[in-house]
Amino acid sequence: MNTRATDGLVAPHGGHLVDRTGLRPEKLDRLEALTLTSRELSDLDMLASGALSPLEGFMGRDDYERVVDEMRLARGLPWALPVCLAVDRAPQDDQVALVDESGRELAVLDVDEVYEYDREREAERCFRTTDDAHPGVARLYAQKPLYLSGRVTVFGRAEPEFPQLALDPTETRRVFAERGWRRVVGFQTRNPIHRAHEYLTKGALETVDGLLIHPLVGETKSDDTPVATRVECYRVLLEGYYPADRVLLSAFPAAMRYAGPREAIWHAICRKNYGCSHFIVGRDHAGVGDYYGTYDAQRIFDEFEPHELEIEPMFFEHAFFCRACGQMATPKTCPHGGDDHVFLSGTKVRELLAEGQLPPAEFSRPEVAEVLMNGATSRE
Ligand SMILES: [Zn+2]
């Protein structure tokens, strides 16, 4: 069913892995420079590495319009979210330099098109809301008024915050192939991993060869757990509770869009580029507030033909420790009532930590709770 790449893994989206890294052009100094936002910088880095294959640059109008309307690129290939560069006006020349906030030159873009877009329509279609209290919508509404499209050549990659975890798709694929994995499940997270996530990642791993724990390290909301604390949680958890030869921990450099269902599709497609054949989709994946229904991010996969995405979503329920079952379970597997279940909301966990209390061992591994406690106190 799945197309195989030469490494024995699932083929990248569109058939081959894009590589938009290249040499710094000589005439760069004469080019107009565009400063990218942090979201655009994340996208640029993912374009460079092929994480966004088959995209080779920021989207042109045809791709953009069809993605917004139908979740497909102009050529028909599934694609769930715009990857666009917002500008104030059309550039003078046919090339521009892309720079970060410090002015460091990272890439050149061969100007293809400059086009208008409708923010409210993009919000309504992609985020399912035009409410500017939604963090993704707020960011969209604050954008410059035109989109600039074109192929990028990236000669200055962003400095990764966690160099050991910064594996490009070619590198995760190499690791998977070396370990003899063919069926690999990807797990997206922007939160610390508690026992519930441990349970479902291990449940998924039971049926495949390997597990890629792929925490998002790009920009998130300021009230999400800081990335350094999260990375430390993943490290201690893997060290104590996962077999080292079955799990790879690596960073996913994307910025959170909080687009819920569409972002679940987008996350899955990106993970296919990293070599994953399966992808875990939990309840309210990539959601925020009450904007999306509990199962919307799972149901949206039905909008594509079977195997059209060529990455198999694995749907999971919220898990908890059940005292009556004496083990981790979900509403699917446990007949007991809520009184038997140890379940804490993120808010409750933060409250406990703020009071200097560790969450119960049924909820968090003690090593993880310890890291969270240290993270909470060091922020005060
Ligand atoms: Zn039970």
Side-chain angles (χ1 to χ4, degrees), residues 2-13 15-18 49-50 53 168-184 209 271-277 310:
N2 286 341
T3 331
R4 294 272 163 198
T6 50
D7 49 17
L9 297 160
V10 63
H13 200 49
H16 77 281
L17 209 54
V18 168
S49 73
S53 300
D168 283 342
T170 47
E171 295 163 318
T172 52
R173 283 174 172 269
R174 189 181 314 127
V175 174
F176 298 167
E178 280 167 6
R179 295 183 181 185
W181 299 354
R182 292 173 71 89
R183 291 152 52 84
V184 184
D209 304 322
R271 268 42 177 256
K272 183 170 109 177
N273 288 329
Y274 283 91
C276 295
S277 56
E310 291 186 305

Side-chain angles (χ1 to χ4, degrees), residues 13-297:
H13 200 49
H16 77 281
L17 209 54
V18 168
D19 178 1
R20 292 311 306 161
T21 57
L23 295 176
R24 185 183 197 279
E26 281 174 18
K27 63 165 190 170
L28 194 72
D29 304 336
R30 300 202 299 270
L31 297 181
E32 182 180 336
L34 292 179
T35 307
L36 303 193
T37 64
S38 61
R39 200 267 301 151
E40 291 160 350
L41 285 171
S42 295
D43 288 354
L44 179 70
D45 201 63
M46 292 172 72
L47 288 167
S49 73
L52 299 182
S53 300
L55 300 190
E56 299 190 326
F58 290 98
M59 282 180 174
R61 187 200 297 263
D62 290 351
D63 279 335
Y64 170 77
E65 294 291 347
R66 193 158 177 202
V67 164
V68 169
D69 278 343
E70 297 176 50
M71 287 199 290
R72 286 176 193 280
L73 296 171
R75 63 196 260 205
L77 200 64
W79 193 270
L81 289 171
V83 175
C84 293
L85 175 56
V87 294
D88 280 319
R89 56 184 172 78
Q92 309 276 338
D93 296 319
D94 57 1
Q95 281 194 321
V96 289
L98 305 181
V99 306
D100 68 13
E101 276 182 354
S102 71
R104 188 164 82 98
E105 291 152 336
L106 302 173
V108 283
L109 178 143
D110 298 304
V111 175
D112 188 18
E113 286 177 278
V114 179
Y115 56 98
E116 292 181 346
Y117 66 102
D118 181 339
R119 291 188 180 98
E120 291 212 341
R121 177 166 157 269
E122 184 178 325
E124 178 66 52
R125 300 288 308 169
C126 297
F127 294 101
R128 301 189 177 185
T129 175
T130 53
D131 181 359
D132 63 7
H134 181 293
V137 173
R139 185 162 59 189
L140 170 61
Y141 284 5
Q143 278 183 179
K144 291 167 181 173
L146 301 168
Y147 280 149
L148 169 64
S149 75
R151 217 154 80 131
V152 294
T153 304
V154 181
F155 50 84
R157 298 286 300 276
E159 212 55 59
E161 204 176 337
F162 303 95
Q164 327 82 294
L165 301 187
L167 302 181
D168 283 342
T170 47
E171 295 163 318
T172 52
R173 283 174 172 269
R174 189 181 314 127
V175 174
F176 298 167
E178 280 167 6
R179 295 183 181 185
W181 299 354
R182 292 173 71 89
R183 291 152 52 84
V184 184
V185 63
F187 178 62
Q188 144 78 34
T189 172
R190 63 176 202 264
N191 293 308
I193 297 188
H194 296 296
R195 291 202 54 186
H197 311 105
E198 181 185 333
Y199 174 74
L200 60 91
T201 53
K202 286 181 171 175
L205 178 55
E206 291 290 357
T207 74
V208 295
D209 304 322
L211 166 67
L212 173 65
I213 295 190
H214 215 202
L216 182 140
V217 297
E219 189 184 58
T220 59
K221 294 187 278 98
S222 54
D223 58 339
D224 283 350
T225 307
V227 62
T229 306
R230 284 192 286 128
V231 166
E232 192 51 28
C233 288
Y234 307 141
R235 284 209 179 107
V236 297
L237 186 71
L238 291 191
E239 220 175 81
Y241 300 95
Y242 285 74
D245 59 349
R246 287 285 170 200
V247 183
L248 179 66
L249 172 66
S250 179
F252 182 52
M256 266 318 285
R257 285 155 156 87
Y258 300 98
R262 278 197 183 223
E263 197 159 6
I265 299 284
W266 192 75
H267 279 161
I269 290 173
C270 294
R271 268 42 177 256
K272 183 170 109 177
N273 288 329
Y274 283 91
C276 295
S277 56
H278 293 70
F279 183 64
I280 293 171
V281 183
R283 297 185 0 158
D284 199 23
H285 184 105
V288 61
D290 301 326
Y291 291 99
Y292 308 107
T294 306
Y295 298 103
D296 287 358

Side-chain angles (χ1 to χ4, degrees), residues 322 325 334-336:
C322 173
C325 291
C334 159
H336 307 109

